Amino acid sequence: MTLAPPPPLSSMSTLRLRLVSQPATGHMARPVDGAWWPHSPDLASELPRLLGGLPPAWGQVTSVLVDEAVWSPFPGRLLVANQVVRLRRTTTQRSPTTVCLLAPGSGRWDLLVVPPAATDAEAGRLIRSTATVVKDSVGGVAVR
């Protein structure tokens, strides 16, 4: 297991994440629940920032499924904020690339992963494709 150091306080504001509104009960689920634009392909350093920026209603994420081709080598488990998070790999490439977050008793969330090397224009196009935004830590303004 790898210990993930907490991100520096100054970097907490640099989380690039947009979440879309949840569908009403009984409606079909969306293909993604938001978009995440990590700063690097180092999952062990990026994941703590992501998990720390999620809404409390999402619960405690204990398992994360990612496309291993997108990320630098990473361990099978990571200690994040005194909690063990299991990191699972898939070799099935999806287009677009997503990360799947699982929180027992709370649910599953899929986030579109914007490539870390994307330009602002490319990232903006991908992020806008995720539908109506209700939480925006990219620019700090919620859009509906």
Side-chain angles (χ1 to χ4, degrees), residues 59-94:
Q60 205 168 36
V61 173
T62 60
S63 184
V64 177
L65 177 65
V66 299
D67 177 358
E68 73 177 335
V70 173
W71 302 98
S72 302
F74 56 89
R77 293 178 295 168
L78 190 64
L79 186 62
V80 178
N82 295 321
Q83 171 192 334
V84 175
V85 177
R86 183 174 177 208
L87 304 178
R88 297 175 47 213
R89 298 163 168 82
T90 181
T91 55
T92 306
Q93 292 187 344
R94 293 179 157 187

Side-chain angles (χ1 to χ4, degrees), residues 7 30 44 48 63 69 99 106 108 119 131 133 137:
R30 294 173 314 283
S63 184
V99 60
S106 295
R108 168 191 169 150
T119 65
V133 176
S137 49

Side-chain angles (χ1 to χ4, degrees), residues 10-23:
S10 62
S11 69
M12 291 301 284
S13 63
T14 63
L15 174 64
R16 300 182 293 189
L17 172 69
R18 284 195 178 182
L19 304 176
V20 297
S21 60
Q22 299 295 317

